[in-house]
Amino acid sequence: MLRIVLTVCVLFWNQLAAQDAVDKVIELCEQNDCLGPAVIIEEKNYVEMEFKVRQKVQTEVDAVDIESAVAIGLEKLFSYARCGNVAGTIVPVSAPWGVFGYLKNGEIQQRFLVFLTIVPEVTNPPQPTDPTVETVTVPAVWYYGRIFDKKVDEQQIEERVSQLLKDLEHDNQPFNSTFFGIAYLSTHGLMEMGFMKTGE
Ligand SMILES: *[C@@H]1O[C@H](CO)[C@@H](O)[C@H](O)[C@H]1NC(C)=O
């Protein structure tokens, strides 16, 4: 299965936009299971990415910004993975982890959904004991996005979000502008950011 996914990644190898960052994501897929995008297609100065079905544990967080939301949220999610569940067991988790943020008139709202990936080998994740935490199975989806491989501060992350929003609007792409997603793949700032594609 992993082989097939990688073949698809490699097919698009030559058409990639942010070559360096995208290469790093593919490289990471080779070392681990490919929980990054299964397909990456160049589209102007951003990419279209397909994400396969995956399991996550997630929690809603009220916070002043993305960074603090991730910090608050991940603490709860790691505690779920470390026996904070009805089975009292360790639940193996992996990258990517990340956050969904909501936009209103282009402004990032102070409400976020923070998530952590549960490895595919876990077939039936136990329920969380914390009622504000939930496990979900996310269907396959397509995103318009960008991939970066440099650690940046909050302000630069927000600028990246609004720049992508502007570029997608400018190109009249069919996407849902009410929320954005950010997924981190490494502790060195390798991240995907995007808006969900709509229609079809
Ligand atoms: C956009 O996403 C929001 C939040 O998930 C949802 O309520 C809304 O129906 C979506 N809009 C479109 C056009 O898909």
Side-chain angles (χ1 to χ4, degrees), residues 17 22 96 116 120 128 134 142 170 177 186 189:
V22 174
L116 180 62
E134 60 173 351
W142 282 88
H170 177 265
S177 59
S186 82

Side-chain angles (χ1 to χ4, degrees), residues 17-189:
Q19 195 69 40
D20 242 29
V22 174
D23 284 356
K24 278 191 186 157
V25 168
I26 293 169
E27 207 175 292
L28 204 75
C29 288
E30 281 168 0
Q31 288 161 12
N32 307 300
D33 279 330
C34 197
L35 293 173
V39 180
I40 304 173
I41 304 170
E42 182 192 13
E43 175 75 32
K44 308 215 171 188
N45 57 353
Y46 38 85
V47 295
E48 285 183 38
M49 300 179 273
E50 186 190 17
F51 295 91
K52 296 295 187 193
V53 178
R54 58 182 70 194
Q55 305 181 99
K56 291 175 177 177
V57 58
Q58 63 186 29
T59 186
E60 280 208 26
V61 176
D62 292 315
V64 289
D65 60 25
I66 296 167
E67 281 183 351
S68 32
V70 171
I72 296 165
L74 281 187
E75 196 157 318
K76 284 190 180 188
L77 301 181
F78 279 119
S79 116
Y80 163 79
R82 281 191 313 255
C83 307
N85 53 71
V86 293
T89 187
I90 299 286
V91 180
V93 289
S94 85
W97 65 95
V99 62
F100 289 94
Y102 304 92
L103 291 166
K104 214 170 187 175
N105 305 320
E107 289 286 307
I108 296 176
Q109 305 298 291
Q110 300 195 332
R111 184 168 66 93
F112 301 90
L113 185 66
V114 180
F115 68 87
L116 180 62
T117 305
I118 298 175
V119 301
E121 289 79 3
V122 177
T123 49
N124 205 353
Q127 287 303 306
T129 45
D130 181 340
T132 65
V133 174
E134 60 173 351
T135 57
V136 288
T137 300
V138 187
V141 279
W142 282 88
Y143 273 77
Y144 291 105
R146 289 195 170 120
I147 298 175
F148 301 94
D149 67 347
K150 195 162 156 282
K151 227 172 185 165
V152 289
D153 62 21
E154 177 73 26
Q155 197 197 334
Q156 287 165 297
I157 292 175
E158 291 180 11
E159 281 166 10
R160 286 173 174 181
V161 171
S162 60
Q163 189 58 52
L164 180 59
L165 178 71
K166 273 187 217 148
D167 293 349
L168 294 175
E169 281 175 342
H170 177 265
D171 293 345
N172 272 318
Q173 296 287 18
F175 72 103
N176 191 329
S177 59
T178 65
F179 71 95
F180 61 90
I182 294 176
Y184 297 92
L185 286 149
S186 82
T187 51
H188 311 294

